């Protein structure tokens, strides 16, 4: 049985071109080193899902994939929810557990650091990342403002008027002025025939939502200098730069940061040229806390997600969603994710048991595992994997002992964090562009680091 397992896994996970190694297969509780589980680089723009219960190792899976992509010269974008991915900039410390894991998967553990750029939405924990209101668009802005269907329609009409009349919408002040002009000012009569009348009730509600966003201290998310998506494609000494968006200080505003991530994908989709199938992706985009994107999503918003995910692979961009359960992702999007890394699921509650049943039904049968049993028996740093081979065919389902991450698995030291921010081209450009911008805060000691992270 063991030899048959090795042969089947090796045949299924043996890409012709460049690849990353996710780990080695597990059979009857034993890590089978020779049963290597690989993912072809050329298939990473077919998107993927990384799922599993809290504490099963999803974040470290993101890290080990990002590390190998960087080694291959592929830039990576990652959402850093807790601020604990900045350790990618520092080599990890060797210990017995990491040495043992490296030996088990056939890759000797060697600590390494990777080029990192730090951004944040607030501008406090990295270079500020912002877009103009016009580029953000009415659908995404409606979600952030939590508008109803009628109010969203009004906002779309305002954007259409601005587009037709070549009026730039840079920041929220521009939007408020245009809203006032078209609802109560001289523009009210002008738009009545072509765009429809804007009622005072609708304009007032939209204005109050805009003011609420401003009071939350995130109005500077919209404006100039606008983030240049070309900054996501950097390389240093042949390694792809790992861009981290640190949202540790805005975790309590999930609609804000999840919608902003989608807006970045929309900008990539809009501005990148068609490249077809490449030998390796131009960028891999990891969308952590993906369930937040779909919670309460309107039909228009969901439609935009589906369109971007379906078409952006032809721009050379791969998107990996990370969440607790596959059921968190809309079915229309889930069906487009060709690569799956499923960490352990728990069945402590009736809802957990139902999610487990739904997940099991999405996997093909295996002659080596009972899928429902293996999904609840996986340990930390282990996952059930199936990906697309270089012919686009789903591979054998394999319980996998994952490769160890080589960088620090936690926040970087304050000194390293400061050095990255001070040496960042993005930070320098922003400082030069406007001395009034809010500057990233440097960390002065370990106690400050804990507060910020």
């Amino acid at each position: 049985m063991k030899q048959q397992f090795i042969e089947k896994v090796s045949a299924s996970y043996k890409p012709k071109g460049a690849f990353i190694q996710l780990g080695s297969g597990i059979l009857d509780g034993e890590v089978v080193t020779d049963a290597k589980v690989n993912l072809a680089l050329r298939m990473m723009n077919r998107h993927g899902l990384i799922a599993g219960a809290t504490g099963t190792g999803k974040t470290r899976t993101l890290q080990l994939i990002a590390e190998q992509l960087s080694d291959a010269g592929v830039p990576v974008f990652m959402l850093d929810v807790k601020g604990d991915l900045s350790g990618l900039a520092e080599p990890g410390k060797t210990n017995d557990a990491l040495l043992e894991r490296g030996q088990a998967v056939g890759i000797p553990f060697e600590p390494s650091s990777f080029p990192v750029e730090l951004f944040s939405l607030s501008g406090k924990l990295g270079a500020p990342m912002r877009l103009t209101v016009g580029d953000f668009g009415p659908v995404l802005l409606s979600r952030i403002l939590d508008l109803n269907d009628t109010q969203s329609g009004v906002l779309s009409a305002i954007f259409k008027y601005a587009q037709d009349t070549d009026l730039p919408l840079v920041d929220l002040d521009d939007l408020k002025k245009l809203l006032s002009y078209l609802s109560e000012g001289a523009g009210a009569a002008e738009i009545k025939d072509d765009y429809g009348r804007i009622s005072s009730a609708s304009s007032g509600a939209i204005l109050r939502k805009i003011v609420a966003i401003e009071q939350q201290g995130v109005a500077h998310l919209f404006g100039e200098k606008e983030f240049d998506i070309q900054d996501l494609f950097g390389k240093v000494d042949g390694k792809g730069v790992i861009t981290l968006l640190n949202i540790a200080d805005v975790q309590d505003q999930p609609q804000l940061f999840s919608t902003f991530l989608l807006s970045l994908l929309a900008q990539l989709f809009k501005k990148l040229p068609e490249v077809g199938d490449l030998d390796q992706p131009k960028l891999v985009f990891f969308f952590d806390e993906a369930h937040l994107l779909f919670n309460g999503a309107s039909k228009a918003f969901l439609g935009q997600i589906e369109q971007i995910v379906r078409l952006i692979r032809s721009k050379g961009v791969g998107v990996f969603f990370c969440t607790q359960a596959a059921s968190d992702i809309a079915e229309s999007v889930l069906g487009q994710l060709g690569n799956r890394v499923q960490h352990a699921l728990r069945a402590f509650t009736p809802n957990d048991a139902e999610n487990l049943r739904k997940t099991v039904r999405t996997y093909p049968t295996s002659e080596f595992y009972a899928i429902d049993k293996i999904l609840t028996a996986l340990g930390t740093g282990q996952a059930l994997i199936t990906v697309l081979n270089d012919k686009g065919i789903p591979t054998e389902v394999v319980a996998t002992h994952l490769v160890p991450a080589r960088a620090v698995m936690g926040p970087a030291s304050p000194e390293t964090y400061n050095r990255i921010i001070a040496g960042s081209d993005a930070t320098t450009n922003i400082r030069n562009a406007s001395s009034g911008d809010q500057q990233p805060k440097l960390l002065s000691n370990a106690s400050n680091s804990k507060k910020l992270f």
Side-chain angles (χ1 to χ4, degrees), residues 156-218:
S156 294
I158 292 172
F159 271 75
K160 184 66 168 62
Y161 176 86
Q163 180 182 359
D164 292 346
T165 55
D166 293 326
L167 287 176
L169 291 175
V170 176
D171 54 25
L172 292 178
D173 280 341
D174 290 341
L175 181 59
K176 287 191 296 183
K177 290 174 183 176
L178 185 56
L179 176 62
S180 176
Y181 172 76
L182 295 178
S183 60
E184 299 176 356
E190 179 184 345
I191 69 162
K192 184 176 180 180
D193 292 334
D194 293 333
Y195 304 91
R197 187 176 68 85
I198 298 176
S199 71
S200 58
S202 293
S203 64
I206 295 171
L207 182 59
R208 287 191 294 272
K209 295 292 181 70
I210 295 174
V211 171
I213 285 289
E214 292 175 328
Q215 289 177 336
Q216 292 172 20
V218 293

Side-chain angles (χ1 to χ4, degrees), residues 353-407:
E354 180 61 25
N355 283 334
L356 176 60
R357 283 193 292 271
K358 289 179 179 178
T359 301
V360 169
R361 288 199 296 268
T362 65
Y363 281 94
T365 57
S366 170
E367 62 183 287
F368 302 109
Y369 311 107
I371 301 297
D372 58 340
K373 293 181 180 179
I374 195 68
L375 277 177
T376 56
L378 293 167
T380 301
Q382 297 178 341
L384 194 67
I385 291 176
T386 178
V387 301
L388 296 178
N389 65 19
D390 48 15
K391 295 181 180 179
I393 301 171
T395 57
E396 184 83 20
V397 178
V398 183
T400 306
H401 196 62
L402 297 169
V403 170
R406 290 169 288 149

